[in-house]
């Protein structure tokens, strides 16, 4: 465990220095801060809901890009620079290596979610303050729940950690950064599409069953989208966290096994 | 005699392409490294040195054969007693030299404080004390090689595996590296080094194993392999230029041959070392 955390700490330090991660984070923050002024894109939401959904969208979209790109970039650079050989010559096994890399990225994603969540919350509070003179009966929003909003951000972090684990598993079987990034995005897209199909397992064909079982089910995390304007369900949040943790553990173990078969 | 490392009948092949054509990298390679010795694993490019080393470190799985280090199979406990300097070491550029060596020390089980202390000592031994707080990305090639050696020795391992330790070093750097390796031997370490810089290997190694096309071509102590008891080589100094011809004629009368006679000229390597400043 100690070596896993050491590798995670080192990976976190390397991950936060990646320019792409910083650029994407800044882009997400800029969009959120401008969300109030982009209200013309509104498709009928209330003002606060629009700003909150914009934050959710930024977390989901930009977070997914950072998850996949950061993991693939960090893992492939270890292999290309052969720093992985020096690492594995120490008393470190493949399991500690893969969990360490993914935990380091998870820590970086936590910082990203916190920064974006904080700017989203600040924007909602500012928008709420600027609407304080408007009588409530003229506002279409339900009251904004700060605790619900942060539970939603937490669920998004769980989702991004799961995506990072998927990307790590792809890297373990890939010898090229482009292949890893492309296939990871395809798997995530497959998971999103598979999650849309809520028909029972018995009604699915083999390919659909395969996708439903192997690809991540993002329905666990999408239920949290309404928490910002309603009471959060802590049981569902725990379930989402547990699902992400189990998937993370299994994907990490699969990645470790695949790395052990690779020629480094 | 106690052997620290014993490799027996190692075979390794790689399969390439859709037709899975097998390329044999190692074929029945066996060698044993005695305790306290500097053992050279030599061979031309592609002879199988790096493949053998990767198998010893557990980075590659052999197709057949066995490796025993400290009389047991490779495990975390065994790895704690080993240090490895990779060929052309690459490290995390955002870390300073001290942070880098401390990181690897902590991976070997040292506590934070002890790792920091040992890292400072290791960097001092390899001559990087002044650059310890500089980022590794700003190090020259020679400095990176030294940092690589520092991370290999920081946890005081008993066995050191050095893959091309003089790679990319200038003559002064090579001489410094050789001095460090001899110092480590003096401290009781067993060293397995792979190289194709034969002049340096000849100065350092007690025993060698020469690989050729994945097989052992020769193995043994340098004295046993290189000594020719029926002949002697003389090096004569202090001869004036007028007497060179007389000595050549006398040598020929005894059936010997003068391979080289040069006047008043030191080698470029010696001159380089004398003028290069550190």
């Amino acid at each position: 465990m100690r070596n896993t955390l050491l590798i995670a700490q080192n990976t976190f330090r390397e991950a936060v220095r990646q320019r792409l991660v910083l650029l994407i984070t800044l882009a997400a923050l800029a969009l959120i801060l401008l969300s109030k002024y982009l209200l013309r894109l509104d498709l009928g939401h209330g003002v606060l809901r629009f700003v909150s959904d914009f934050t959710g969208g930024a977390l989901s979209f930009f977070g997914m890009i950072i998850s996949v790109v950061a993991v693939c970039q960090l893992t492939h650079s270890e292999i290309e620079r052969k720093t992985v050989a020096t690492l594995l010559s120490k008393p470190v096994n493949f399991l500690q290596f893969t969990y360490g890399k993914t935990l380091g990225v998870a820590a970086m994603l936590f910082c990203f979610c916190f920064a974006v969540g904080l700017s989203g919350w600040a924007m909602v509070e500012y928008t709420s303050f600027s609407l304080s003179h408007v009588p409530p009966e003229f506002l279409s929003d339900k009251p904004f729940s700060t605790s619900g909003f942060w539970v939603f951000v937490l669920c998004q972090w769980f989702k991004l950690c799961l995506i990072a684990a998927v990307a790590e598993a792809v890297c373990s079987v890939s010898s090229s950064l482009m292949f890893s990034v492309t296939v990871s995005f395809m798997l995530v897209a497959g998971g999103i599409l598979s999650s849309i199909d809520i028909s029972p397992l018995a009604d699915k064909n083999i390919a659909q069953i395969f996708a439903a079982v192997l690809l991540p089910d993002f329905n666990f995390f999408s239920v949290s989208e309404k928490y910002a304007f309603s009471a959060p369900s802590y049981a569902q949040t725990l379930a989402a966290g547990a699902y992400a943790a189990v998937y993370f553990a299994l994907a990490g173990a699969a990645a470790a096994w695949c790395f052990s078969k690779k020629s480094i | 005699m106690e052997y620290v490392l014993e490799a027996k009948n190692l075979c390794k092949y790689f399969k390439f392409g859709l037709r899975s054509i097998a390329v044999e990298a190692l074929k029945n390679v066996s060698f044993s490294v005695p305790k306290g010795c500097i053992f050279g694993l030599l061979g031309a490019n592609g002879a199988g040195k790096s493949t053998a080393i990767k198998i010893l470190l557990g980075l590659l799985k052999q197709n057949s054969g066995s490796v025993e280090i400290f009389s047991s199979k490779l495990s975390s406990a065994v790895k704690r007693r080993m240090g490895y300097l990779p060929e052309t070491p690459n490290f995390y550029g955002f870390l300073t030299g001290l942070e880098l060596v401390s990181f690897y020390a902590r991976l070997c089980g040292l506590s934070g404080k002890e790792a920091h202390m040992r890292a400072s000592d290791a960097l001092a031994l390899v001559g990087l004390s002044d650059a310890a707080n500089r980022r590794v990305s700003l190090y020259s090639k020679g400095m990176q090689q030294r940092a690589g050696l520092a991370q290999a020795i920081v946890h005081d391992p008993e066995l050191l595996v050095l893959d091309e330790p003089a790679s990319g070093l200038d003559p002064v750097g090579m001489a410094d590296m050789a001095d460090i390796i001899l110092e480590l031997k003096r401290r009781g370490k067993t060293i397995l080094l792979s190289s194709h810089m034969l002049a340096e290997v000849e100065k350092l190694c007690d025993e060698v194993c020469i690989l050729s096309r994945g097989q052992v071509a020769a193995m043994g102590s340098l004295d046993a392999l290189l000594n020719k008891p029926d002949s002697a080589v003389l090096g004569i100094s202090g001869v004036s230029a007028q007497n060179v011809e007389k000595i050549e004629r006398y040598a020929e009368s005894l059936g010997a041959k003068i391979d080289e006679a040069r006047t008043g000229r030191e080698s470029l390597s010696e001159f380089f070392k004398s003028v290069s400043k550190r």
Side-chain angles (χ1 to χ4, degrees):
Chain A
M1 190 65 194
R2 183 170 179 263
N3 283 355
T4 305
L5 291 174
L6 278 170
I7 294 170
Q9 184 187 22
N10 202 52
T11 304
F12 172 74
R13 288 183 71 178
E14 191 175 5
V16 295
R17 281 167 169 79
Q18 289 192 309
R19 283 184 194 170
L20 185 65
V21 169
L22 290 173
L23 272 170
I24 291 176
T25 306
L26 284 172
L29 293 175
L31 272 178
I32 290 164
L33 293 172
L34 291 171
S35 58
K36 184 170 173 286
Y37 307 101
L38 293 170
L39 210 46
R40 282 173 203 169
L41 301 172
D42 180 18
L43 299 167
H45 290 80
V47 176
L48 295 183
R49 183 149 209 138
F50 180 84
V51 174
S52 171
D53 285 351
F54 215 83
T55 306
L59 267 175
S60 195
F61 178 71
F62 291 111
M64 186 176 66
I65 294 174
I66 288 177
S67 272
V68 169
V69 173
V71 163
C72 293
Q73 171 67 29
L74 290 167
T75 305
H76 278 283
S77 75
E78 284 265 20
I79 294 168
E80 279 157 25
R81 287 180 323 198
K82 301 209 189 296
T83 47
V84 65
T86 314
L87 212 55
L88 293 169
S89 71
K90 306 299 179 195
V92 170
N93 57 42
F94 285 101
L95 211 57
Q96 289 168 326
F97 172 69
T98 52
Y99 282 143
K101 296 304 288 184
T102 336
L103 278 174
V105 173
M108 183 268 293
L109 288 169
F110 184 84
C111 295
F112 167 78
C113 289
F114 181 76
V116 172
L118 191 65
S119 72
W121 174 80
M123 206 56 214
V124 167
E125 290 295 321
Y126 169 70
T127 309
S128 180
F129 174 76
S130 64
L131 293 172
S132 57
H133 63 284
V134 176
E137 56 267 28
F138 291 104
L139 294 172
S140 55
D141 288 317
K142 291 182 184 170
F144 177 73
S145 164
T146 301
S147 58
F149 176 78
W150 283 108
V151 170
F152 159 71
V153 170
L154 182 66
C155 288
Q156 294 308 298
W157 178 61
F158 290 152
K159 184 173 93 174
L160 296 179
C161 290
L162 187 153
I163 291 173
V166 168
E168 183 71 14
V170 172
C171 289
S172 68
V173 297
S174 157
S175 53
S176 137
L177 175 62
M178 279 310 299
F179 180 88
S180 296
V181 170
T182 308
V183 172
S184 300
F185 276 126
M186 281 169 58
L187 287 176
V188 171
I192 292 170
L193 292 170
S194 174
S195 304
I196 292 169
D197 177 12
I198 53 171
S199 58
L201 218 56
D203 295 342
K204 294 182 201 284
N205 61 35
I206 290 181
Q208 287 171 320
I209 292 171
F210 179 83
V213 168
L214 276 182
L215 296 177
D217 184 355
F218 292 111
N219 286 326
F220 277 94
F221 313 101
S222 58
V223 290
S224 63
E225 283 164 12
K226 56 184 188 293
Y227 289 170
F229 293 92
S230 65
S233 165
Y234 294 109
Q236 278 179 333
T237 307
L238 267 172
Y243 178 75
V246 169
Y247 206 99
F248 188 95
L250 291 174
W257 185 83
C258 292
F259 272 125
S260 69
K261 301 299 170 197
K262 252 179 133 142
S263 174
I264 293 175
Chain B
M1 184 179 281
E2 191 184 342
Y3 292 105
V4 165
L5 189 152
E6 289 181 271
K8 289 175 185 162
N9 299 319
L10 291 180
C11 290
K12 178 67 187 173
Y13 54 83
F14 297 98
K15 288 189 174 175
F16 296 99
L18 290 169
R19 286 185 294 167
S20 291
I21 298 166
V23 173
E24 222 161 7
L26 292 177
K27 192 176 175 185
N28 287 323
V29 168
S30 301
F31 57 89
S32 303
V33 181
K35 187 175 180 178
C37 121
I38 301 181
F39 189 93
L41 190 62
L42 314 180
N45 291 338
K49 304 187 297 296
S50 293
T51 304
I53 285 177
K54 285 180 184 175
I55 291 172
L56 298 179
L57 294 165
L59 301 175
L60 264 185
K61 208 113 180 91
Q62 68 272 27
N63 293 105
S64 64
S66 67
V67 174
E68 281 193 355
I69 304 174
F70 304 114
S71 305
S72 48
K73 296 258 182 286
L74 192 67
S75 63
S76 292
V78 168
K79 283 187 180 180
R80 271 199 191 93
R81 298 165 73 185
M82 291 171 66
Y84 170 57
L85 168 64
E87 184 183 2
T88 57
N90 270 307
F91 298 114
Y92 306 106
F94 61 94
L95 296 175
T96 64
L98 190 60
E99 285 171 342
L100 178 82
V101 180
S102 298
F103 169 65
Y104 286 118
R106 290 174 72 192
L107 283 176
C108 293
L110 300 179
S111 68
K113 215 172 175 179
E114 199 185 353
H116 193 268
M117 213 168 60
R118 295 264 201 105
S120 300
D121 293 341
L123 287 168
L125 178 67
V126 302
L128 279 180
S129 291
D130 292 341
N133 292 316
R134 204 184 303 167
R135 276 190 291 136
V136 172
S137 58
L138 300 174
Y139 281 9
S140 67
K141 176 75 181 74
M143 290 167 81
Q144 294 210 2
Q145 200 79 4
R146 289 165 191 259
L149 187 59
Q151 63 79 28
I153 62 174
V154 67
H155 55 294
D156 198 25
E158 293 163 54
L159 171 66
L160 278 166
V161 179
L162 311 179
D163 196 350
E164 306 278 358
S167 167
L169 296 181
D170 58 35
V172 175
M174 275 193 233
D176 290 344
M177 182 64 77
D179 290 340
I180 295 168
I181 291 172
L182 287 170
E183 171 62 22
L184 290 168
K185 183 193 170 184
R186 198 189 61 77
R187 292 185 185 190
K189 311 294 179 200
T190 305
I191 299 166
L192 169 69
L193 69 90
S194 104
S195 180
H196 51 260
M197 301 255 191
L198 300 181
E200 294 302 320
V201 166
E202 195 169 350
K203 284 181 208 165
L204 293 172
C205 293
D206 304 309
E207 293 191 22
V208 297
C209 170
I210 301 175
L211 295 181
S212 176
R213 295 187 185 186
Q215 291 180 280
V216 175
M219 188 162 60
S221 70
L222 275 177
D223 287 341
L225 290 174
L226 302 180
N227 277 356
K228 287 179 173 38
D230 297 335
S231 66
V233 175
L234 291 176
I236 307 171
S237 60
V239 178
S240 61
Q242 305 92 288
N243 288 330
V244 169
E245 209 182 312
K246 282 186 195 170
I247 293 173
E248 277 178 345
R249 279 203 301 268
Y250 183 65
E252 279 165 20
S253 71
L254 294 175
K257 189 167 73 79
I258 303 286
D259 289 326
E260 188 187 1
R262 49 185 173 84
T263 51
R265 186 183 167 99
E266 66 175 341
S267 71
L268 178 59
S269 176
E270 292 300 320
F271 181 70
F272 182 94
K273 284 178 199 172
S274 68
V275 302
S276 288
K277 289 183 174 56
R278 286 268 178 225

